[in-house]
Amino acid sequence: MAESAELILDGKSYSLPVIEGTEREKAFDIGKLRDQTGYVTLDSGYKNTGATKSAITFLDGEEGILRYRGYPIEQLAEKSSFIEVAYLLIYGKLPTEAELQNFSNQITKHTLVHEDVRKIFDGFPSAAHPMAILSSLICSLTAFYPESVSPDLSKEEIDLNVIRLMAKISTIAAWTYKNNMGHPLNYPRNDLDYCSNFLYMMFSFPTEKYDIDPRIVSALNKLLILHADHEQNCSTSTVRLVGSANASLYGSVSAGINALWGPLHGGANQEVLEMLQAIQKDGGDTSKFIAKAKDKNDSFRLMGFGHRVYKNFDPRAKIIKKAADEVLAALGIDDPLLKIAQELEQAALTDQYFIERKLYPNVDFYSGIIYRAIGIPTEMFTVMFALGRLPGWIAQWKEMRENKEPIGRPRQIYTGETERDYTPIEQRS
Ligand code: MLT
């Protein structure tokens, strides 16, 4: 007999079906709860709410497990490339050689953006944050491809939008930086792979030869893979919710970019670096800041420690820490900020206060360090996160659409005034 839970309300019993996932996670199906009982559930921040059934990413916060389409993140980070992982997330299987070649060629073919996109850059203040520009320009793709708003796109039309977005985001992302710096914008190079081309557009100048460092390309592939999906986090839930109204892929992803920009979400890696800079400016005494972090009356917070769903460790942080150590050693980087980071990390891993509260360094802590080591400026950290998260957003939007999920429409428990009569203005005190 199928498992169910019994709910007793006012002496009446209701049966709630139990749903079980392939990894044995269980949920009460409350889809008919309001119709049957008049009650809804209340779960601020959705910590106990499964908003959807998804076959893309599995995460076990207690055990520190992360898998894309069943493949452990450790194996993908070690053996795969970002473009292969993007294919895996979006299409549900590892590609054959021909499929990967075709996917990669298609993306390369679409890296140019409409020349009018360049003109939009002129409308932004030169000091604009690159995330503001990125979200606006990704949304603007809906204006350049108006057919993308149709609710009845064919499989081929969806694939074309996927390819365009994967291709153009790296050009737009690199240009946000170049524009910010007042540098000439570099056009993409179709002879380069995805990560090399991005680095070329970011760092080269028309006046000089730019050598692409394969160690940096490999670190970038790893970083993007580690960020590629994380099931129903804030930005992904945003993409699915916006997409559930049949909004275009570009519009939905642009909304996700704005969610990611928040300092409690993807903006955290920028905050980590800013925290390290503040500690350095103060004289670099990490023990002082560790004491501040422990002091209940002090507003100082250590950024990049602990995670909402990982209770013991963040599996991505383990991989990225190793990569950071390797990259720093390989590039021979000696950076005082990195010394501060290592001292904080050491304190958090050995101090009972942090151990008991499970405040271990997370993926944002190390990603900031490694991005700095490979020359990515602090303001671009969250843009890099967006670049990595894109295949996840696309896969989740596509899954939501293919499963014909209904428009998202949460309920609420109203806590405002009960009915009262309108008071004319002269009678108000
Ligand atoms: C993420 O990768 O999206 C972050 O770790 C945040 C989260 O999963 O809630």
Side-chain angles (χ1 to χ4, degrees), residues 192-201 210 212 217 220-221:
L192 296 175
D193 63 80
Y194 195 83
C195 288
S196 303
N197 180 45
F198 176 73
L199 291 169
Y200 162 79
M201 288 189 289
Y210 173 71
I212 297 160
V217 174
L220 185 56
N221 262 295

Side-chain angles (χ1 to χ4, degrees), residues 83-140:
I83 288 300
E84 185 179 61
V85 166
Y87 185 99
L88 169 70
L89 285 166
I90 296 169
Y91 296 107
K93 67 177 216 54
L94 284 172
T96 61
E97 226 173 302
E99 284 164 340
L100 182 59
Q101 199 57 56
N102 181 45
F103 185 59
S104 178
N105 289 347
Q106 288 293 320
I107 292 175
T108 302
K109 248 176 57 190
H110 284 272
T111 45
L112 276 177
V113 293
H114 195 292
E115 278 298 295
D116 285 346
V117 170
R118 282 182 74 112
K119 295 188 196 144
I120 304 179
F121 274 93
D122 297 338
F124 287 102
S126 57
H129 193 286
M131 283 296 273
I133 304 182
L134 185 71
S135 66
S136 312
L137 290 188
I138 293 301
C139 194
S140 82

